[in-house]
Amino acid sequence: MSDLAVRVALKRYDAVAEAPAHVALRDLALTVRHGELVCLLGPSGCGKSTLLNIVAGLDERFEGSLSLPRSADDRPPAIGYVFQEPRLLPWRTVRRNVELAMDPARHGAGLVEELLAAAGLAGFAEAYPQRLSLGMTRRVALVRAFAVEPDLLLMDEPFVSLDAPTAQQLRRLLLEIWQRRPTTVLFVTHDLREAIQLGDRILLFSPPPGRVVADIPVAIPRDARDEAAVEAFRRRLIDERPGDFRGL
Amino acid sequence: MRRRRSPGFPWPLLASTLLLLLLWQLLAMALDSRNLPGPAAVAAVLVAQTASGALPYNLAVTLARVAASFFLALTLGVAIGLALGRWRDLDRFFDPWLILFLNVPALVTIILCYVWFGLGEAAAVLAVTLNKVPLVVVTTREGMRALDPGTLEMARVFRFGPWKTLRHVVLPQLAPFLMTAARTGLSLIWKIVLVVELLGRSSGVGFELNLYFQLFDVAAILAYTVAFVAVVQAIELGLLQPLERRVNRWRR
C-alpha cells in the first residue's frame, strides 16, 4: 500500500502546423494518500486532463516523475479511468463492456452482477450502449472502472453534460460504491460544489501552465455534506481567496 | 446506417427481372439474328449444359479459384493493412511499393505469373491474389487511420493487451472497411479469374467462354454469363448481406 506521487517539471505540446507550442504544466507536484479521494479543481484548459493522461500512463512525454500506488500482490497497479465521454464499445453489450476490462484470473463473475445491480443497471446487462441514455452509459463507465478493483481510480469530469438531478444521483452512486470498495481516487472537475461534496481534499489548479496553488482539506464530515453545508463551505472559500475561485 | 426491414416477397425485383426478359425477347425478335438469341434459346442451352454436367463442373472450378484467391487476398491484405496502419514508419517505407503494385495492370501480373511459375493452378490463383491484395491493403489502412483514439486509450488504460484490443476494439471499427474490401474484392476477383482461365487454364467459365467465342456460339456465351451472374448474386444475398447484418446488429 502506497501513495500516488506525481511531479511534472514541464509538460509542453510542440507546435503543430498553425498551432504554436504550448506549455500545459510547469512545476507541478501532488500526492494522493492511499484510500483518499482528492478533487483537482481548475478552470477549463488548465491542463487537468493532461495531468490525468500522464498519471494513466497514456502520455509519457513529460519531464518529471510518477509513482503509482502499489497493488496488494506484486502485479502492476490496476487503473480505473472514467473519461469525460463514457468511451464504451458500442458493438459490445453492457456486460461485455465491463467484463472486457476485467482480468478473469483476478475477478469472479459475481463482481459484475453486484456492481451492475448497485448502479441500477441489472436489467440492462445485455443491452447495447447506443440504446441507453447518456446518464446510463456514464453509470456503465463508472461500473467498468470499479470492476477492475482499481488501485487508482481516475475521473475526468465524469458527470458533465448531465442534468443536475442525474449528475447528483451519479455522485451519490460514486460515493456509495467508493465507500463499499475504498480506493485512491483523483477526481478532476471545474465545479467547486462538486469538489466540496466529493473530496477529502481539493487541489486548486492555476490557469495555464497548470500547477497546484492551494491544498484545501474539506473539513466537513462526509455524512454532514448536505446542500447547505456545501454552500456555506463554498462561500467561506470564496471570501477567503477571492482571486483564486474566479469563474469556478 | 441501414434500416431493418423484414424480408417480405421481393415484388419489385421480380417485376424488373420480367421487364428485362421481355425487352430482351422483343429485341431478339426484331433483329432475328444468330448474334442475339432470345431468352428461350439461351434457357435451352442452359438446361442442356446443366444436364450434360459441363456447366456445373466449370462453374464449380471457377468458384473454387475465386474462393481460394478471395480468401488469400483478404487474409494477406488485411494483415499487411493492419501492420501499415499500426506502424507509421513501416507505412512510409512501403508506401511506394504499394503504389507500384496498385498500378501494375492485371494482365501483366497474370502473364508474369504464368511465365515464372508455369501454366498451373498455383500460378493462376497467385496471379488473381496479387491483383487484389494491394486494394485490400489500402482499404484496411484507411480503416486503421479512422480508428477512434478514445477507445484505443481506454483499451490501453484497462490493459486489454494486443489480442483483446484487436478483437474487441479494432476489428469492429474496421468492419465497414472490411465489408467494402470483400464486396469490391468479390466483383474484381470474378472478372480477373475469367481472364486467368482464358489465358492459361483448360477448365472454368473463362475457358468455356473463349471456346464458344471461337465457335461464335452466342447462346452458349449468354447461358454461361447468366449462370455466372446468378451465382455471384446468390453469394451477395446469401453470404455477404447476412454477414453485414450480423456485424451491424449493435447499431440502433
Side-chain angles (χ1 to χ4, degrees):
Chain A
M1 302 296 160
S2 62
D3 302 342
L4 165 72
V6 196
R7 201 181 53 76
V8 180
L10 182 68
K11 166 66 197 175
R12 65 189 290 258
Y13 291 103
D14 293 332
V16 177
E18 303 285 294
H22 163 68
V23 176
L25 304 169
R26 176 174 281 153
D27 297 329
L28 175 143
L30 66 86
T31 310
V32 182
R33 283 184 290 278
H34 177 75
E36 199 180 22
L37 198 166
V38 168
C39 286
L40 214 56
L41 180 73
S44 308
C46 69
K48 302 184 301 266
S49 299
T50 303
L51 177 67
L52 275 199
N53 283 341
I54 286 176
V55 175
L58 291 174
D59 188 345
E60 288 165 352
R61 298 171 58 167
F62 68 100
E63 289 169 32
S65 63
L66 169 67
S67 150
L68 292 177
R70 263 195 307 276
S71 59
D73 30 11
D74 244 356
R75 64 187 160 71
I79 296 177
Y81 200 146
V82 184
F83 298 91
Q84 235 172 72
E85 332 77 52
R87 297 200 191 177
L88 302 176
L89 303 173
W91 41 83
R92 294 288 181 263
T93 61
V94 165
R95 183 196 304 281
R96 288 298 286 154
N97 262 286
V98 176
E99 284 173 349
L100 281 170
M102 298 164 74
D103 178 357
R106 274 181 63 217
H107 312 289
L111 181 58
V112 183
E113 306 306 328
E114 181 202 319
L115 288 169
L116 285 176
L121 289 166
F124 298 93
E126 310 310 327
Y128 287 99
Q130 287 197 346
R131 313 237 162 115
L132 304 180
S133 68
L134 179 62
M136 282 165 84
T137 54
R138 296 201 173 218
R139 279 165 199 256
V140 179
L142 198 61
V143 165
R144 176 176 62 189
F146 272 104
V148 303
E149 302 195 284
D151 301 296
L152 174 64
L153 178 58
L154 304 174
M155 307 187 79
D156 188 1
E157 309 206 26
F159 307 137
V160 292
S161 58
L162 291 173
D163 57 273
T166 310
Q168 195 56 25
Q169 253 180 11
L170 278 167
R171 281 180 207 117
R172 275 197 218 104
L173 177 64
L174 164 66
L175 288 176
E176 191 190 308
I177 304 182
W178 176 65
Q179 275 158 359
R180 228 187 301 168
R181 305 179 156 275
T183 179
T184 311
V185 184
L186 192 55
F187 188 106
V188 160
T189 179
H190 64 259
D191 179 344
L192 179 53
R193 283 191 189 85
E194 182 173 61
I196 297 169
Q197 194 189 341
L198 296 177
D200 293 318
R201 276 190 297 144
I202 298 173
L203 299 180
L204 187 62
F205 246 57
S206 68
R211 60 194 181 85
V212 177
V213 288
D215 182 344
I216 306 157
V218 182
I220 323 172
R222 285 207 171 269
D223 51 9
R225 292 190 192 181
D226 53 19
E227 216 171 303
V230 169
E231 188 53 31
F233 193 85
R234 189 177 85 96
R235 289 255 158 260
R236 211 171 66 236
L237 276 184
I238 293 175
D239 289 346
E240 278 169 16
R241 319 162 157 269
D244 287 345
F245 292 100
R246 201 171 296 130
L248 288 173
Chain B
M1 306 267 156
R2 189 167 286 265
R3 262 181 306 155
R4 222 169 276 194
R5 226 188 305 171
S6 60
F9 192 80
W11 289 111
L13 179 67
L14 186 72
S16 80
T17 312
L18 285 177
L19 179 67
L20 193 66
L21 285 173
L22 182 70
L23 286 175
W24 177 7
Q25 177 68 43
L26 289 176
L27 195 63
M29 277 157 65
L31 291 174
D32 191 23
S33 153
R34 237 187 118 221
N35 288 342
L36 184 63
V42 171
V45 178
L46 202 59
V47 170
Q49 290 273 350
T50 307
S52 77
L55 182 88
Y57 167 73
N58 285 303
L59 266 181
V61 167
T62 301
L63 198 62
R65 286 179 189 138
V66 167
S69 320
F70 181 78
F71 179 75
L72 276 174
L74 240 66
T75 313
L76 271 174
V78 169
I80 297 172
L82 284 175
L84 294 190
R86 173 71 181 75
W87 291 288
R88 191 175 282 216
D89 290 338
L90 210 62
D91 184 32
R92 265 198 288 263
F93 188 82
F94 284 112
D95 196 50
W97 291 31
L98 197 58
I99 289 167
L100 177 77
F101 281 111
L102 271 172
N103 288 304
V104 174
L107 195 56
V108 173
T109 321
I110 298 168
I111 293 172
L112 287 179
C113 279
Y114 277 145
V115 170
W116 288 336
F117 306 109
L119 290 171
E121 205 61 54
V125 169
L126 182 69
V128 183
T129 306
L130 287 184
N131 270 305
K132 179 56 193 164
V133 164
L135 284 170
V136 181
V137 172
V138 169
T139 314
T140 309
R141 188 179 62 176
E142 219 48 57
M144 288 293 284
R145 286 178 181 160
L147 288 182
D148 166 35
T151 44
L152 288 174
E153 284 181 358
M154 184 279 295
R156 251 179 86 191
V157 172
F158 286 102
R159 297 188 211 287
F160 274 35
W163 172 239
K164 230 195 224 179
T165 306
L166 180 68
R167 178 154 169 228
H168 298 288
V169 184
V170 175
L171 285 182
Q173 292 187 64
L174 286 183
F177 293 87
L178 299 185
M179 284 309 300
T180 305
R183 279 248 163 74
T184 57
L186 194 62
S187 61
L188 183 78
I189 283 174
W190 269 121
K191 290 162 194 167
I192 298 178
V193 164
L194 293 195
V195 180
V196 167
E197 289 177 341
L198 185 144
L199 284 176
R201 305 302 304 142
S202 51
S203 60
V205 176
F207 170 76
E208 295 293 318
L209 285 177
N210 192 26
L211 188 70
Y212 290 115
F213 170 50
Q214 315 277 335
L215 302 172
F216 255 76
D217 187 345
V218 180
I221 291 178
L222 286 176
Y224 269 94
T225 310
V226 168
F228 192 68
V229 169
V231 171
V232 183
Q233 195 61 30
I235 292 179
E236 166 76 23
L237 288 176
L239 217 68
L240 289 185
Q241 285 188 11
L243 185 68
E244 192 167 34
R245 268 198 298 279
R246 204 188 122 74
V247 165
N248 283 332
R249 84 205 127 131
W250 55 272
R251 293 184 201 275
R252 68 177 147 189

